[in-house]
Amino acid sequence: MSTPLLTRHALAWLLLAQLAVMAPLLPLLPLWTSLAWLLVAFWHWRIYRGDWHFPPRPIKLLLATATIGGIWLEYKTALGLEPQLALLVTAFILKLLELKALRDQWIVICLGYFIIACAFLFNQTMGAMLIAAGQLAVLLLAQQAMFRQRTQLGAMLRSNWQLLYQSLPLMLLLFVVFPRIGPLWSVPLPGESARTGMSDSMSPGDISRLSRSGELAFRVSFDGPIPPSPQLYWRGIVLEQFDGRRWSRPELPAGDLDTADGRGQSLGEGLSYELTLEPGVHEWLLGIAVARPERDDLRLDGLYQLIPRRVLTGRLNYRLTSFLDEPLDQPLAAFERYRNLWLPEQINPRSRALAEAWREQYSEPRQRLRAAQQYLLDNPFVYTLEPPKLGRHSVDEFLFDTRRGFCEHFAGSFVVLMRAAGVPARVVMGYQGGERSGDGSYLLVHQSDAHAWAEVWLDGEGWRRVDPTALVAPDRIELGAAEALAGESGFLADAPLSLRRFKGFVVLARLRLWMDKMEYAWAKWVLNYDTERQWLLLSDWFGELTGRGFVIAVSIAFAVPLAIAALLTLRLPPQQRRSPAVAQYLRCCEWLARKGVTRAKGEAPKDY
């Protein structure tokens, strides 16, 4: 029988380390990987006991082929991060079946370290960092167990602690001083567009589904006090094309907004704030109109959308200054007017007839706008997360039959009425409101705060925001989505364990906000520590840095932590304790030397 090199306790620690490395990744891995680990661990245990042999080469090739085939069936591709991670983890598992030499043990340990690093491609929260710290501790214990005959947990933990405090200065140095590069977790992940929550189109039910989510969308820190909720319309994308059911973005992208007149500056001091988006693929950004970005890689286009000059990925942090009184009066070209009046033929005839009656009755677009608003006020419309399904004439059925819907129903139907009445109109999607942090220092905006509203073009005024939801359910705007939808069964339905469900429990509510504050600090000062922040920090410490100044600053920054690490690990040789007889003899030798009787080098006491 084959006998492995590992001792019993070393094998136990190695299996425990594998389990610790794999456990947080199980939601990302196929179900069969955990079953494969159980099978392989049992197989190696039988090898250790001498009951079974190591598998021959054909069996190992067959297992490798089967895992590759399983990964292909699971992901239908081999060129994504998830399938590559699954391939790495299966190699990590199957390596147990050829664990014959010390080199093989080192390979398993090193693969564990690498997999822990790969996990940060998918999650960079503070919780993920704490989990990784625990995983590293277990791997280090398994590494020590390779060279110990038995488990000495106390001594092994002390060694872990020594490694930690010796490495901390170097880690802090590299974090603060080493040139920042784009984080690896900016690589787009499969399915990451869905994780950002809102898509670039809208049909009945799309936004209401987001209210089932407990995920965070972004956080905002204002330079001054947080504005009241009715001012917090986080403008995202503009939808101008309508096929009778779905609203979508224009096919041709809009050019940059003409800001040569500098009207924003003439309106006085704007509202300045910093916005941090959760990780995702960002083809468009959010801000309160009219928002001026402070980053060169962002632009404000002719639809007043914040668009990155290239697609940005990962967690994103940027500053904006919004001028709330600046009108959205970019001149409306003829083709834009046509696009914002167009409706598909032979769809929603009752809505068309109602709007055409307003068109005949009122000559001014403002009067038709008021008539549409009054129609919503005069009829028993209900704001709900669970509206009935709508058919082909969805706007007609909503306005005249069901009269139950979410914000996308109200916004889309209102725009159809305005267009049919001869008034250019469009749908805007974004978020509205937000939740104040525990100390009121910043705002949390969740996916459940997603919202849609209308914009109507009035000559001489420009695009004017009209929110039909505010007419039917003013609590949604004044108090926020969480308060307005708290009684709905579908609210946070996809997050049964979310602490937001327990707002009535003061302790849990405070705990959630405290945890979010820690998470926000982690995101702000660690994950968003980019080249610009690094340069500002070093400039504050060392003044304006030239080439020579930067070299000196880096040298000092390297020297100080390394000196601290050296002092912490310095061990002076202990003084040898002398017996009383030896001490007396040496004092006698010194006295005789002063009298002229010197002991020769190496002369023994008896000879002397």
Side-chain angles (χ1 to χ4, degrees):
M1 297 292 180
S2 300
T3 303
L5 182 67
L6 271 71
T7 61
R8 181 187 295 269
H9 85 105
L11 175 59
W13 277 107
L14 190 65
L15 294 177
L16 180 62
Q18 279 196 323
L19 183 60
V21 169
M22 292 168 46
L25 297 173
L26 291 180
L28 299 170
L29 298 172
L31 177 62
W32 54 262
T33 53
S34 55
L35 301 177
W37 180 80
L38 291 173
L39 174 63
V40 171
F42 175 74
W43 192 336
H44 187 82
W45 183 256
R46 297 302 299 269
I47 293 173
Y48 177 84
R49 290 171 54 87
D51 299 333
W52 292 359
H53 291 282
F54 283 102
R57 185 182 296 272
I59 297 297
K60 290 191 290 186
L61 288 176
L62 180 62
L63 289 173
T65 304
T67 56
I68 293 173
I71 292 170
W72 176 264
L73 292 175
E74 180 74 22
Y75 299 102
K76 301 298 186 292
T77 180
L79 299 178
L81 287 180
E82 282 98 338
Q84 292 298 316
L85 177 67
L87 185 63
L88 182 63
V89 170
T90 51
F92 183 55
I93 294 170
L94 294 178
K95 189 62 182 175
L96 285 177
L97 295 181
E98 53 180 17
L99 206 62
K100 300 178 180 179
L102 185 64
R103 178 193 62 184
D104 299 320
Q105 299 176 48
W106 276 113
I107 289 176
V108 173
I109 294 292
C110 291
L111 278 174
Y113 288 126
F114 188 71
I115 291 172
I116 291 174
C118 289
F120 284 106
L121 292 168
F122 301 87
N123 189 358
Q124 307 91 42
T125 62
M126 181 179 287
M129 183 271 295
L130 295 176
I131 290 173
Q135 292 173 310
L136 289 174
V138 177
L139 270 176
L140 285 171
L141 292 174
Q143 185 173 321
Q144 293 184 62
M146 292 163 52
F147 304 99
R148 294 177 181 267
Q149 292 303 314
R150 59 188 179 87
T151 297
Q152 297 173 308
L153 189 59
M156 294 162 72
L157 289 174
R158 284 194 296 273
S159 297
N160 276 11
W161 171 247
Q162 289 176 354
L163 288 171
L164 173 64
Y165 74 69
Q166 289 174 15
S167 62
L168 275 176
L170 184 60
M171 180 196 71
L172 293 174
L173 166 71
L174 293 175
F175 176 76
V176 174
V177 177
F178 195 82
R180 311 303 293 172
I181 58 176
L184 289 176
W185 51 83
S186 290
V187 179
L189 306 180
E192 193 162 11
S193 296
R195 283 173 45 201
T196 61
M198 191 172 292
S199 66
D200 58 357
S201 63
M202 183 191 80
S203 61
D206 285 352
I207 297 181
S208 58
R209 277 191 290 270
L210 291 178
S211 295
R212 303 172 62 89
S213 170
E215 294 184 1
L216 187 70
F218 57 94
R219 299 181 180 92
V220 192
S221 293
F222 292 89
D223 290 357
I226 299 177
S229 182
Q231 293 184 6
L232 299 176
Y233 278 85
W234 304 101
R235 183 187 180 87
I237 54 174
V238 176
L239 309 178
E240 295 186 328
Q241 295 189 166
F242 182 55
D243 63 3
R245 186 171 183 84
R246 177 172 292 274
W247 292 90
S248 59
R249 302 173 70 178
E251 295 179 359
L252 296 177
D256 288 2
L257 183 70
D258 184 10
T259 58
D261 54 4
R263 284 176 297 168
Q265 287 73 10
S266 66
L267 293 171
E269 185 177 358
L271 179 67
S272 297
Y273 51 96
E274 183 178 51
L275 197 149
T276 303
L277 293 175
E278 288 296 284
V281 179
H282 308 294
E283 298 182 10
W284 44 270
L285 307 180
L286 297 149
I288 302 174
V290 173
R292 310 283 177 171
E294 298 183 12
R295 286 176 49 152
D296 294 335
D297 57 347
L298 306 181
R299 66 185 182 91
L300 191 65
D301 71 2
L303 299 179
Y304 297 89
Q305 301 174 123
L306 276 170
I307 306 294
R309 299 191 183 278
R310 58 179 179 83
V311 176
L312 300 175
T313 57
R315 191 182 302 273
L316 187 61
N317 178 268
Y318 55 95
R319 285 189 60 84
L320 297 171
T321 299
S322 293
F323 299 92
L324 306 185
D325 296 328
E326 182 175 351
L328 282 67
D329 58 354
Q330 180 87 347
L332 191 66
F335 78 93
E336 292 177 308
R337 181 180 292 271
Y338 172 79
R339 186 169 62 199
N340 286 283
L341 286 171
W342 188 86
L343 290 172
E345 297 290 339
Q346 298 179 347
I347 292 181
N348 302 308
R350 287 186 286 173
S351 302
R352 286 175 178 271
L354 176 63
E356 288 171 1
W358 294 335
R359 190 170 187 174
E360 294 177 359
Q361 184 178 359
Y362 305 110
S363 59
E364 289 293 325
R366 287 176 178 81
Q367 294 174 312
R368 302 171 203 166
L369 170 60
R370 285 194 292 270
Q373 292 173 314
Q374 194 62 44
Y375 180 81
L376 295 178
L377 292 172
D378 291 343
N379 289 280
F381 285 94
V382 176
Y383 180 71
T384 177
L385 278 175
E386 299 178 344
K389 293 184 178 180
L390 303 175
R392 180 170 182 264
H393 301 290
S394 57
V395 175
D396 280 358
E397 293 174 24
F398 170 69
L399 289 176
F400 298 98
D401 300 328
T402 66
R403 290 176 175 167
R404 298 172 60 85
F406 202 59
C407 61
E408 64 264 38
H409 297 83
F410 290 99
S413 300
F414 192 87
V415 170
V416 168
L417 287 176
M418 287 291 92
R419 288 188 177 188
V423 182
R426 61 195 186 187
V427 174
V428 181
M429 281 206 316
Y431 296 82
Q432 198 285 320
E435 179 187 19
R436 292 174 182 261
S437 64
D439 58 0
S441 60
Y442 65 95
L443 201 69
L444 299 87
V445 181
H446 298 87
Q447 295 294 353
S448 55
D449 294 313
H451 194 55
W453 60 93
E455 283 185 347
V456 176
W457 176 268
L458 298 176
D459 292 330
E461 185 176 338
W463 289 105
R464 174 180 169 184
R465 183 178 70 228
V466 180
D467 189 354
T469 303
L471 300 174
V472 176
D475 286 351
R476 166 62 184 90
I477 309 305
E478 295 288 341
L479 303 178
E483 295 292 337
L485 300 172
E488 294 275 348
S489 60
F491 185 61
L492 300 181
D494 294 340
L497 301 180
S498 173
L499 291 179
R500 294 180 66 204
R501 286 177 165 272
F502 308 101
K503 293 189 67 174
F505 296 89
V506 177
V507 175
L508 292 179
R510 289 178 178 175
L511 175 63
R512 178 177 65 86
L513 293 175
W514 178 83
M515 291 169 57
D516 187 84
K517 185 176 181 180
M518 296 298 101
E519 192 68 47
Y520 186 35
W522 169 259
K524 188 174 182 179
W525 300 110
V526 178
L527 299 181
N528 290 329
Y529 184 70
D530 54 12
T531 303
E532 182 180 357
R533 288 179 181 268
Q534 182 187 51
W535 193 257
L536 289 175
L537 178 64
L538 295 178
S539 298
D540 289 341
W541 286 358
F542 303 103
E544 291 296 328
L545 294 176
T546 59
R548 179 181 298 178
F550 183 75
V551 172
I552 294 173
V554 171
S555 301
I556 294 174
F558 265 98
V560 172
L562 292 179
I564 294 173
L567 290 175
L568 290 174
T569 57
L570 185 62
R571 295 288 186 271
L572 296 175
Q575 291 186 350
Q576 294 182 354
R577 301 191 63 180
R578 297 166 178 168
S579 67
V582 172
Q584 291 291 346
Y585 170 72
L586 292 177
R587 281 198 292 271
C588 179
C589 292
E590 293 174 358
W591 183 82
L592 288 173
R594 290 196 295 270
K595 298 298 183 179
V597 183
T598 305
R599 183 169 68 96
K601 185 176 182 180
E603 189 175 5
K606 183 178 180 181
D607 298 328
Y608 181 42

